[in-house]
Amino acid sequence: MLDILIKNGVYPDYSENALKKANIGLEGGKIAYIGDDEPEASKVIDAKDRVVSPGFIDIHMHEEKFSEGKKYVIAEYMLKQGVTTAVGGNCGDIMQPVKVFKETLNELGGSPINYILLSGYNYYWREAGLGHFDKSTPEQREFIHNRIKEDLAEGAFGLSFGIEYDPGITEDEIVEAADMMEDEHLLVAAHYRDDGEQSIPAIEEMIRVQSRIKQRFQISHLSSCSALGTMKESLELINGYMEKDPRLNYDTYPYNAFSTSMGSTVFDPGCLEGWKKDYSDLLLTEEPYKNQFATKETFDDCRANYPNMLVVAFVMNEDEIAAAIANPNGMVASDGILRNGNGHPRAAGTFPRVLGKYVREDKVVDLITALRKITLEPAMRLELEDRKGDIHIGADADITIFDPETIIDGPNFQDLSILNKGIDYVIVNGEIALKDNEFIDDRAGEFISYFEK
Ligand SMILES: [Zn+2]
């Protein structure tokens, strides 16, 4: 007997690029039935007028920093937006070594979502005592490599860089670290060296890195690099290269503002002039200035005294955000990051926003293409397509059931806790994890090791 039968819904059949009507049965944490019959099941979910999607896969987010408290914050927001598997450790900035993350996940008795981690170059760059603009010595790089190898031995899926955060990191150094990893099936991801007017040389550098390494290379959150006036040229460069080398790809998020720490080099003198923006385009997210737009005085105070505060910068162009989403290449990911529970709403609303605003309202991309960009494409990127990102017999029972007519994001720049609309059920590893925004079993997720993929 099935554990769960989901009847009367439609699911994306990517092999035919069509939404198909079928009843879907789950058993033992796997998809066990797809068809027109109604086999007996312990529980039946009526999904009439609903899409029964593979659970969303967020290939670029930032996991919880357990030193802020051994609890889940962003993983809960992920689950509430239909994510069943997320990849942390991005932008060079893993929040703790993989071993520590796994131990904490076990202590907490599982996780709201399935978690995958990348190792983070910048985290160990700092551990090696290097400052933002320093040049590393061979001994320091060996130290960094050894720490990365420890993460890989614990099951990390690859390595990320935050080049802009520590501009001392050289192109050769990135290639050297990729070569050190040897395994071509690992993923290399990077937050570019520069944005706005300097985004084209930054993308050219990443394309050169791809041409020099044996792994797949992921350009992280393209819109915050290029949606300040260079998206058309950026996409031409990326699409052109991908025609001969499809190992390159990118992810992008559906908001016209980016977010990072106040102390970051991103906010070094000259940034506002470069973006042609003003202090009032920057939203401060923590006390004593929570939800206030900056002035010169509060900006200077935060730079000096609150360097860890996340700042939201409204500097990107809407038509360029849409172009990055609509492009035939590319995935959509949240780049979600929270500090003490605060931050950009992309951490909590990215996936309903793509399906509500960009698919239904603005019609910049059709439903099945958008679903592919948040399920099958990231699964293929991680070489998990046999298990995840697709509805087929034997796949993991990670399922998100939503109403395509009502799905929309709730969280905004002032309040992350506003609920998303239109997501009925999120099923993780065969367990109903969320129903109508209420947690049912919020520990059904697990750490996915590279070695069991
Ligand atoms: Zn980043």
Side-chain angles (χ1 to χ4, degrees):
M1 189 163 77
L2 296 172
D3 299 324
I4 300 175
L5 180 71
I6 306 164
K7 65 177 192 180
N8 301 327
V10 294
Y11 76 97
D13 181 340
Y14 295 122
S15 66
E16 297 186 13
N17 202 41
L19 289 166
K20 269 195 183 165
K21 193 164 187 308
N23 299 330
I24 293 170
L26 313 179
E27 192 180 334
K30 301 283 178 187
I31 295 173
Y33 177 81
I34 304 171
D36 298 330
D37 296 334
E38 292 191 20
E40 215 180 321
S42 307
K43 181 169 178 53
V44 176
I45 294 173
D46 188 356
K48 187 172 183 313
D49 300 327
R50 300 294 190 265
V51 175
V52 182
S53 172
F56 307 151
I57 299 174
D58 189 351
I59 198 166
H60 184 114
M61 54 82 74
H62 299 270
E63 75 284 7
E64 21 274 300
K65 194 176 203 155
F66 287 127
S67 61
E68 288 181 354
K70 287 191 179 180
K71 59 179 191 226
Y72 292 105
V73 183
I74 196 163
E76 292 188 350
Y77 280 123
M78 287 281 140
L79 186 63
K80 285 184 165 180
Q81 52 178 318
V83 171
T84 55
T85 301
V87 181
N90 272 290
C91 300
D93 217 9
I94 193 167
M95 298 292 172
Q96 53 263 308
V98 174
K99 188 168 188 289
V100 176
F101 182 86
K102 283 165 65 179
E103 285 166 359
T104 311
L105 187 146
N106 283 334
E107 276 178 49
L108 291 170
S111 158
I113 53 172
N114 295 310
Y115 254 123
I116 288 168
L117 290 182
L118 302 175
S119 184
Y121 197 87
N122 299 58
Y123 184 88
Y124 298 118
W125 170 276
R126 290 193 295 273
E127 235 184 55
L130 286 154
H132 298 313
F133 296 95
D134 288 346
K135 292 289 172 222
S136 59
T137 65
E139 293 71 30
Q140 286 167 324
R141 291 199 296 281
E142 193 186 340
F143 169 85
I144 295 169
H145 293 177
N146 286 335
R147 297 291 274 142
I148 292 165
K149 282 179 186 165
E150 289 170 15
D151 281 343
L152 295 175
E154 292 289 338
F157 268 59
L159 175 61
S160 77
F161 296 86
I163 313 171
E164 186 174 29
Y165 297 131
D166 292 302
I169 297 172
T170 66
E171 179 182 326
D172 285 345
E173 181 167 0
I174 295 168
V175 172
E176 182 190 52
D179 286 347
M180 171 278 294
M181 296 198 295
E182 292 176 355
D183 184 347
E184 69 183 79
H185 296 281
L186 293 165
L187 183 66
V188 176
H191 172 135
Y192 40 80
R193 188 175 297 282
D194 213 337
D195 57 32
E197 287 173 337
Q198 292 305 311
S199 58
I200 296 302
I203 286 170
E204 287 169 341
E205 178 183 41
M206 291 187 285
I207 288 175
R208 277 197 308 278
V209 169
Q210 175 65 94
S211 72
R212 295 173 64 189
I213 67 174
K214 53 180 170 295
Q215 293 91 354
R216 286 153 290 137
F217 187 94
Q218 183 91 353
I219 297 173
S220 296
H221 46 68
L222 178 66
S223 59
S224 55
C225 176
S226 300
L228 301 94
T230 60
M231 185 58 76
K232 187 167 179 290
E233 202 181 336
S234 298
L235 289 175
E236 280 168 7
L237 267 176
I238 294 167
N239 290 341
Y241 183 83
M242 283 183 68
E243 274 179 34
K244 48 185 196 302
D245 186 355
R247 294 177 307 156
L248 182 76
N249 216 320
Y250 71 88
D251 52 71
T252 193
Y253 57 77
Y255 292 86
N256 66 352
F258 74 77
S259 171
T260 196
S261 303
M262 184 47 110
S264 159
T265 52
V266 173
F267 293 115
D268 277 358
C271 65
L272 292 171
E273 291 79 0
W275 301 324
K276 301 185 179 65
K277 298 288 173 183
D278 192 69
Y279 292 106
S280 62
D281 293 307
L282 306 178
L283 180 70
L284 308 173
T285 68
E286 287 189 56
E287 299 300 350
Y289 304 119
K290 188 173 165 67
N291 288 341
Q292 293 182 25
F293 285 94
T295 62
K296 178 164 183 3
E297 289 68 34
T298 58
F299 180 88
D300 290 345
D301 184 33
C302 290
R303 283 283 281 182
N305 299 313
Y306 305 97
N308 291 323
M309 184 195 292
L310 291 173
V311 181
V312 179
F314 291 88
V315 300
M316 291 134 77
N317 302 315
E318 180 58 41
D319 57 332
E320 295 184 290
I321 305 292
I325 294 171
N327 188 49
N329 294 314
M331 290 149 238
V332 178
S334 74
D335 191 24
I337 181 166
L338 297 177
R339 207 58 54 75
N340 300 311
N342 299 304
H344 189 299
R346 69 192 188 213
T350 286
F351 295 88
R353 184 172 174 84
V354 161
L355 299 171
K357 175 177 165 55
Y358 290 90
V359 173
R360 185 180 62 246
E361 293 175 3
D362 298 353
K363 298 183 172 51
V364 303
V365 61
D366 64 67
L367 177 58
I368 196 153
T369 304
L371 285 176
R372 176 188 274 271
K373 283 170 177 276
I374 58 177
T375 58
L376 184 59
E377 289 290 333
M380 289 170 63
R381 203 68 179 141
L382 300 162
E383 298 184 337
L384 284 174
E385 68 271 24
D386 289 346
R387 280 178 62 179
K388 296 192 184 291
D390 186 40
I391 302 275
H392 61 253
I393 300 288
D396 293 348
D398 294 339
I399 305 272
T400 297
I401 303 174
F402 68 92
D403 182 348
E405 297 301 321
T406 63
I407 190 166
I408 195 72
D409 55 312
N412 63 30
F413 288 96
Q414 278 73 34
D415 188 354
L416 292 187
S417 70
I418 301 171
L419 296 173
N420 296 307
K421 288 198 181 108
I423 296 177
D424 298 335
Y425 285 89
V426 185
I427 299 172
V428 178
N429 295 324
E431 303 293 335
I432 295 175
L434 189 89
K435 183 185 177 199
D436 298 330
N437 279 308
E438 295 289 333
F439 295 119
I440 307 296
D441 177 353
D442 65 353
R443 290 293 185 271
E446 59 188 14
F447 178 82
I448 302 175
S449 162
Y450 176 74
F451 303 107
E452 54 193 55
K453 80 174 183 180

